[in-house]
Amino acid sequence: MFTAGIVTSFKQQILLGQHDLLTDVIKVALYDSSAVLDPNTTVYTTAGEVTSSGYTAGGEVLLGPIVSAGTGTGYATFTDPIWLHTTFAVRGALIYNYTKSNKAIGVMNFGTDQVTLNQDFKIQFPANNPETALIRIT
């Protein structure tokens, strides 16, 4: 089960200054439909994580962080991650802060299984603006 959105613990931790999206190592891990990720997820987990060709446990480092503000919203995004030559069925993803003890940031739900057979897999993040950015705090 996947409930998409920013996790509750991140909302508190960002106010406490525990995350720096520009300098911390932020990662994204992929999960199959057996995973349980929701607003109560607090840290990266291997339960339900994809285990197949083209994927390394822990996922990929997110590059190119951009942190902005506008119209009463703080927002951030990264370069779209890509995995090469994958064979898997993936239902969602967890964005987490590797630098800060793998603390969870947000959950993505792809809606249905995304299946690849020796194909590249790319997560296309939404446009980086106050209304649609990957990470938004209003």
Side-chain angles (χ1 to χ4, degrees):
M1 179 187 86
F2 291 85
T3 304
I6 301 300
V7 301
T8 304
S9 58
F10 176 76
K11 294 174 184 177
Q12 177 188 28
Q13 293 161 0
I14 201 77
L15 292 172
L16 295 170
Q18 295 180 3
H19 297 269
D20 186 332
L21 300 179
L22 293 175
T23 61
D24 292 348
V25 175
I26 308 301
K27 297 184 81 174
V28 59
L30 301 177
Y31 293 85
D32 64 29
S33 61
S34 72
V36 177
L37 299 170
D38 59 32
N40 298 314
T41 301
T42 58
V43 296
Y44 159 76
T45 178
T46 58
E49 188 173 14
V50 169
T51 56
S52 60
S53 68
Y55 183 80
T56 302
E60 293 290 323
V61 173
L62 291 177
L63 304 173
I66 300 171
V67 177
S68 305
T71 63
T73 302
Y75 56 99
T77 196
F78 300 87
T79 303
D80 296 342
I82 189 165
W83 289 263
L84 303 176
H85 311 293
T86 64
T87 299
F88 55 49
V90 60
R91 176 63 61 91
L94 177 69
I95 300 167
Y96 67 99
N97 191 331
Y98 179 79
T99 302
K100 301 297 195 264
S101 304
N102 296 330
K103 291 180 179 180
I105 294 174
V107 174
M108 300 181 75
N109 182 347
F110 302 146
T112 61
D113 284 348
Q114 305 299 304
V115 180
T116 64
L117 181 58
N118 198 28
Q119 298 169 303
D120 295 348
F121 179 78
K122 178 180 181 179
I123 299 175
Q124 184 171 1
F125 290 144
N128 190 36
N129 61 57
E131 291 79 34
T132 63
L134 177 65
I135 298 170
R136 292 176 288 139
I137 299 180
T138 56

